[in-house]
Amino acid sequence: MTQCVIENNNKYFPVLEKSTSESVLKIGGKVVKRASGTENLDLKTGKIEILIQSVEVLSSAKELPMPVFGEQDYPEEIRLKYRFLDLRREEMHKNIILRSKVISFIRSEMLKLGFLEYQTPILTSSSPEGARDFLVPSRLNPGKFYALPQAPQQFKQLIMVSGFDKYFQIAPCFRDEDARADRSPGEFYQLDLEMSFVEQEDVFNVVEKLMVNLFKKFSSKKISHEKFIRIPYEEAMRKYGTDKPDLRNPLVIHELTEIFKRDDVKFDIFKKLVKSGSKVRAIITKQTKDKPRSFFDNIDKWAKEQGASGLAYFTIEKDKAIKGKGPVGKFFSEDSLKELMKNSSAEVGDSIFLACGKEKEIEKILSLARSKIAEDLNIIDKEQFAFCWIVDYPMYELDEKTNKIIFSHNPFSMPQGEINKLNFDKPLDIKAFQYDIVCNGI
């Protein structure tokens, strides 16, 4: 990108004056140094300019439906209709170049780690995984269909069986499912890898090395733990309400059900629910005693908008004795508050947000509340990447709608423990060598 200059008495000036944005011009001229003080150090060519001597219009552009310069937001419909213009925008250009560089870097890193890249077939027979297959009619066999692979799962396992030790592929995956916020509908690419004769630990070592190098190469943000934290699935659900926790958020969820069995807690609504099998869990916010009432009420109101019955709350205070201040604080004796503080590491000046209900319900609302409260308090460090592995997934789970036992995660997995000692009469107790990598809640 270079600045070109023309005097208004030049015979080509009227041609340039009439030229519209995005027209294609062929310009001839002389490269000269810019006058002192007029250099533009933001441009690579900012110390020179071209004095125009000839102009030829190669292609004249009509008025644009969306401008290419500037980064205004446009409806997706317009952006997709005029994709050739959308892709000229600086942000889109940078994204596509970044994608190319990331894929190129992954390839070189995987080769360094001893992997070889193989391509797997795109037309295959149907093999249900997690979504619906895309089907393609066969011309040679009327009434029969090919499927597009949801992942190269079976092909890469054939490659392993055939004695190819380490495989990787930047693989297209086709899934006939609803669009998600973080991927294109119907198709997306993933780094797919497979290794023979390895343990979970070997996979972790490869992926951690790759991710750390990748994120260091393409971002200036810090990585909070280069040796990724490992969190068992059950612990993740208990502490964060989700199996994809954002560890930049310091808030955790505390189990407080037992406290509501005490006689000196008079919070009858929760006590009745606990007697019928409900659980009580809480989020503690540090030193929020000076926050206005509106801060707490807004979070309670927000929880109701999410379909929950709201979040009860109070703040721990101390004058002569420890007491609870807020709508439900009066229901707790000093001894019960001391017990609560001991169980949750809460301190005087902290606030407690309480949810009561079935386990799945409170996991869901407190997971959302954890993010909402942290954003309102502005305590998420946006300048870091916080990675973790979620490990020890249950092999099976109960489908709430059908009450049948189904795979919880991925059927292509090895159960933990010796095969002849597994108790298949209690399938929900069996854990698997399954894991997800999570970064900043994704």
Side-chain angles (χ1 to χ4, degrees):
M1 190 178 279
T2 311
Q3 177 167 289
C4 305
V5 181
I6 190 167
E7 298 292 338
N8 58 6
N9 57 5
N10 186 304
K11 67 176 180 179
Y12 293 104
F13 186 77
V15 177
L16 285 174
E17 209 174 16
K18 286 177 189 165
S19 292
T20 52
S21 204
E22 294 302 301
S23 293
V24 182
L25 310 177
K26 181 180 173 184
I27 286 173
K30 189 177 179 183
V31 178
V32 297
K33 276 188 175 179
R34 290 202 196 186
S36 179
T38 66
E39 293 101 336
N40 179 358
L41 300 180
D42 293 335
L43 270 185
K44 280 184 184 176
T45 60
K47 291 184 178 178
I48 58 108
E49 59 193 13
I50 297 170
L51 293 177
I52 295 174
Q53 292 169 340
S54 66
V55 177
E56 184 187 344
V57 179
L58 300 181
S59 172
S60 233
K62 293 177 182 173
E63 189 180 337
L64 300 182
M66 56 182 283
V68 170
F69 288 101
E71 291 303 321
Q72 305 99 307
D73 280 334
Y74 282 89
E76 202 166 73
E77 194 181 336
I78 290 177
R79 288 181 56 199
L80 291 173
K81 185 176 180 182
Y82 301 103
R83 187 65 166 163
F84 54 94
L85 292 176
D86 187 42
L87 292 177
R88 286 197 188 191
R89 290 163 54 227
E90 188 179 9
E91 184 188 12
M92 294 302 296
H93 242 133
K94 281 180 178 171
N95 285 350
I96 286 174
I97 290 168
L98 175 65
R99 177 194 168 93
S100 172
K101 287 180 175 175
V102 165
I103 289 174
S104 179
F105 183 81
I106 288 172
R107 279 206 166 94
S108 67
E109 289 294 297
M110 294 304 286
L111 292 170
K112 278 185 212 166
L113 290 165
F115 286 76
L116 292 175
E117 182 176 13
Y118 306 114
Q119 272 65 46
T120 51
I122 292 298
L123 289 174
T124 178
S125 60
S126 187
S127 65
E129 284 198 33
R132 285 186 299 274
D133 286 327
F134 270 117
L135 299 177
V136 181
S138 167
R139 181 177 56 83
L140 295 174
N141 303 285
K144 306 270 186 182
F145 292 81
Y146 295 104
L148 300 180
Q150 294 184 32
Q153 184 79 46
Q154 295 189 329
F155 298 118
K156 69 182 183 179
Q157 289 176 338
L158 277 175
I159 289 169
M160 291 301 100
V161 171
S162 308
F164 297 90
D165 243 21
K166 292 178 176 180
Y167 143 98
F168 86 96
Q169 186 182 188
I170 311 291
C173 302
F174 304 95
R175 296 181 185 176
D176 187 9
E177 63 186 3
D178 295 335
R180 296 196 203 175
D182 61 350
R183 64 172 67 155
S184 302
E187 60 173 294
F188 59 92
Y189 281 77
Q190 68 185 27
L191 168 64
D192 213 279
L193 59 94
E194 190 86 25
M195 294 187 271
S196 287
F197 299 106
V198 290
E199 306 293 337
Q200 180 171 284
E201 204 59 41
D202 300 295
V203 180
F204 287 179
N205 286 338
V206 165
V207 175
E208 283 181 24
K209 209 172 286 179
L210 173 70
M211 294 308 247
V212 168
N213 291 346
L214 184 66
F215 276 66
K216 278 184 173 176
K217 172 82 175 169
F218 293 102
S219 176
S220 57
K221 294 182 184 181
K222 68 177 186 288
I223 297 171
S224 59
H225 297 87
E226 291 194 15
K227 188 72 185 156
F228 298 169
I229 295 168
R230 297 177 194 185
I231 307 170
Y233 171 81
E234 285 174 6
E235 183 188 328
M237 296 307 292
R238 194 172 61 249
K239 280 176 72 174
Y240 307 108
T242 176
D243 61 355
K244 42 178 187 282
D246 185 348
L247 297 186
R248 298 171 304 169
N249 179 349
L251 300 177
V252 294
I253 298 165
H254 298 273
E255 174 65 61
L256 295 179
T257 308
E258 287 302 310
I259 285 168
F260 286 82
K261 295 175 182 175
R262 293 173 60 111
D263 293 337
D264 56 350
V265 173
K266 306 295 183 188
F267 195 4
D268 293 340
I269 302 170
F270 277 23
K271 291 188 81 162
K272 279 178 190 168
L273 287 168
V274 166
K275 271 184 185 169
S276 63
S278 287
K279 293 191 175 297
V280 181
R281 289 183 186 161
I283 292 173
I284 316 292
T285 57
K286 305 309 285 180
Q287 298 306 305
T288 40
K289 64 179 186 300
D290 296 327
K291 287 281 176 190
R293 172 79 183 255
S294 58
F295 164 76
F296 299 97
D297 286 344
N298 284 341
I299 288 167
D300 181 39
K301 182 184 167 197
W302 165 88
K304 286 172 179 161
E305 287 166 359
Q306 307 310 307
S309 54
L311 289 178
Y313 64 85
F314 65 92
T315 300
I316 301 171
E317 289 196 339
K318 184 177 184 182
D319 39 31
K320 289 176 184 169
I322 289 171
K323 60 180 185 178
K325 180 195 172 190
V328 302
K330 61 188 176 201
F331 298 127
F332 295 85
S333 70
E334 184 176 21
D335 284 346
S336 66
L337 287 174
K338 283 179 180 174
E339 179 76 8
L340 184 151
M341 290 164 78
K342 186 175 143 193
N343 287 3
S344 63
S345 307
E347 298 168 337
V348 172
D350 294 353
S351 304
I352 324 287
F353 290 90
L354 296 157
C356 181
K358 291 178 183 167
E359 192 163 38
K360 293 277 185 210
E361 290 168 4
I362 56 174
E363 279 171 357
K364 184 180 174 186
I365 189 60
L366 287 180
S367 168
L368 294 170
R370 187 175 162 265
S371 302
K372 163 74 175 164
I373 294 167
E375 278 165 20
D376 286 2
L377 292 173
N378 196 24
I379 54 174
I380 295 173
D381 181 358
K382 301 284 173 70
E383 288 307 305
Q384 67 164 305
F385 291 113
F387 281 95
C388 67
W389 290 106
I390 305 297
V391 297
D392 300 339
Y393 274 84
M395 191 87 189
Y396 305 99
E397 66 182 2
L398 209 57
D399 186 309
E400 287 182 355
K401 289 178 184 169
T402 63
N403 218 31
K404 288 183 178 173
I405 288 174
I406 55 170
F407 286 109
S408 79
H409 188 281
N410 183 338
F412 299 96
S413 306
M414 185 162 77
Q416 293 184 16
E418 292 177 41
I419 197 78
N420 54 357
K421 291 182 182 172
L422 291 175
N423 183 356
F424 288 103
D425 294 330
K426 293 185 175 177
L428 296 175
D429 294 345
I430 298 173
K431 290 188 169 48
F433 286 108
Q434 295 169 338
Y435 35 87
D436 268 343
I437 189 169
V438 180
C439 176
N440 295 1
I442 296 169

